[in-house]
Amino acid sequence: MSDERDTREDGEETAAATRPSGKRSARRVRASDAPADTGSVATLDRPSASRKADKTAGKAKSGNPFKRVIRFLREVIAELRKVIWPNRKQMATYTAVVLVFVVFMVAFIAGIDAAFIKGVDWLFG
C-alpha cells in the first residue's frame, strides 16, 4: 500500500490508494462535491439534444415499411439468441414457485377480506 496523498480542491487530503478506481467511480458525484441547489427550475430543453432527436426521428419514419419490419424481426431474433433459456427442470421449479405464491396471496387476501367483513358487520351490525 502506498502512502501517497492527494489534495482535493477544498484542501482535504485523501489517500490515493484508498480511492476506488474504475468506470463507476468516475460517474459518481460525492455529496460534498455536488453543486448546491439554487432553488431555480432547471430547464430540460437542450438545443443540441433536440436537434439530434429530430434528425433520428426523421430517419426512422422514412424508408420502405417492409424493410423496417424485416429489420425489426431480425433485431428481435438477434435479441432472442442472447436469452438464456431455462431447461425443463428449471421451468418446472419456477412454475411451481409462482403457483404456490399465487395460491398463498389469494388465501391471504381472502382472509383479510373476511376479517374486514366481520369487522364491518360488528361495527355497523
Side-chain angles (χ1 to χ4, degrees):
M1 195 185 278
S2 71
D3 200 27
E4 297 176 28
R5 295 273 178 196
D6 247 358
T7 305
R8 293 193 337 201
E9 290 176 323
D10 58 356
E12 182 181 328
E13 286 187 3
T14 59
T18 60
R19 194 173 14 181
S21 62
K23 278 188 192 177
R24 290 185 182 189
S25 64
R27 281 189 246 150
R28 290 187 186 154
V29 177
R30 293 183 193 154
S32 62
D33 295 342
D37 185 18
T38 59
S40 63
V41 177
T43 58
L44 298 176
D45 187 22
R46 294 186 181 125
S48 62
S50 63
R51 276 188 254 134
K52 287 180 184 178
D54 291 342
K55 288 179 183 178
T56 58
K59 288 182 182 179
K61 292 182 182 177
S62 65
N64 188 350
F66 294 111
K67 286 183 180 180
R68 288 187 297 171
V69 170
I70 291 171
R71 178 179 175 201
F72 172 75
L73 292 175
R74 283 183 183 156
E75 289 177 3
V76 167
I77 291 168
E79 289 298 321
L80 286 175
R81 286 186 180 140
K82 297 176 187 177
V83 173
I84 299 172
W85 297 97
N87 60 27
R88 184 177 295 270
K89 185 179 177 182
Q90 289 172 330
M91 196 58 156
T93 303
Y94 299 157
T95 303
V97 167
V98 168
L99 290 176
V100 167
F101 180 75
V102 167
V103 168
F104 171 76
M105 289 306 295
V106 166
F108 181 71
I109 299 295
I112 289 176
D113 187 43
F116 276 121
I117 289 173
K118 294 268 188 192
V120 168
D121 281 344
W122 173 80
L123 188 62
F124 298 111

